[in-house]
Amino acid sequence: MTVEQDNPGKRVLLAKPRGYCAGVDRAVETVEKALERYGAPVYVRKEIVHNKHVVRTLTERGAIFVEETEEVPEGAHVVFSAHGVSPAVRESANERGLRAIDATCPLVTKVHQEAKRFARDDYDILLIGHHGHEEVEGTSGEAPENVQLVDTEEDVASVEVRDPSKVVWLSQTTLSVDETMRRVDALRERFPELSDPPSDDICYATQNRQVAVKTMAPECDLVIVVGSGNSSNSVRLVEVALDAGARTAHRVDHAGELDETWLEGMRTVGVTSGASVPELLVEEVLRYLAERGWADVSEVTTANEKITFALPRELRKNLGGARE
Ligand code: 2E6
Ligand code: F3S
């Protein structure tokens, strides 16, 4: 049976932008360059980015992922992940004589600077984000006395501030834009003088991937989001797709997790991927779909990203050797 007879109208809409953002690209390259320059092993505190495939590949090349700097041998190189660290983590690494290389995304660092600035001006800071996520732990750690995490609706109702005229909200970089604005509206009902952040905390990459998936979702019977389960921005893409009208949406780490039954009776399948996802994993999903009759792929482009970030300072230094 030919593809056409099998199911006319089978098509794939492929979101663009999708996959690696500038911060992830820089963080992954940081570990690769550190391995090249210093040799294995290079220690990495937490997952460099929230993607199983990336972590496995770097482990194979000699990276050792640890939960805390205490696990790193004294004097060794340690890379801080793209999600950022609190000053307490930096101090602990310093005390142990570790040679730290900071792969924190510059857009996360920007939120840290905002937290420090508002704390200096003695504001109460309501940080919208997900409980337990490494990024909010790092940002909160910049001003633990001033920052309170607002995750759920219940948190909006229970949070208390010292002076309602000196309150600002900041956020994690990888939240759903719409969901965040709902939290802000609810917070503003309680604190009408709530100040906004000086610039967007939800980063360009998170926003762009959500706009792309929102654009194609109303036409999709199924949206497949490639990304790991602990990747906040990837998980948000599933929610955004469903909110925007996709009939169904599923997240998979790789093509091996796709389920044939999801495709039954479907015509238009949307595909996208989170900011920490190598394109190779998307290509495997497209191959899986093509083998089942979804070979007609059209890209839905809502932005062209050009942004790149320079490598961390420690790796930009020219050692005068052949390696640079
Ligand atoms: C660092 C900061 C923001 O879980 P989350 O979406 O935050 O993280 P990743 O690693 O999946 O995405 C990239 C990233 C890194 N986003
Ligand atoms: Fe940075 Fe946003 Fe990527 S904060 S790591 S550019 S998802």
Side-chain angles (χ1 to χ4, degrees), residues 21 23-24 105 107 173 203-204 275:
C21 61
V24 165
C105 175
L107 300 181
T173 57
C203 74
Y204 80 97

Side-chain angles (χ1 to χ4, degrees), residues 7 21 25 58 79 86 94 121 128 176 233 249 270 274 302 304 318:
N7 183 357
C21 61
D25 205 31
L58 291 173
V79 179
S86 69
N94 208 10
D121 294 343
I128 304 177
S176 148
N233 79 87
T302 51
N304 280 303
N318 191 335

Side-chain angles (χ1 to χ4, degrees), residues 8 20 30 55 64 168 193 216 231 237 240 260 268 273 279:
Y20 270 23
T30 295
V55 170
I64 297 181
V168 64
E193 294 175 79
M216 68 185 197
S231 166
L237 289 174
V240 170
E260 301 257 5
T268 302
S273 58
E279 186 62 8

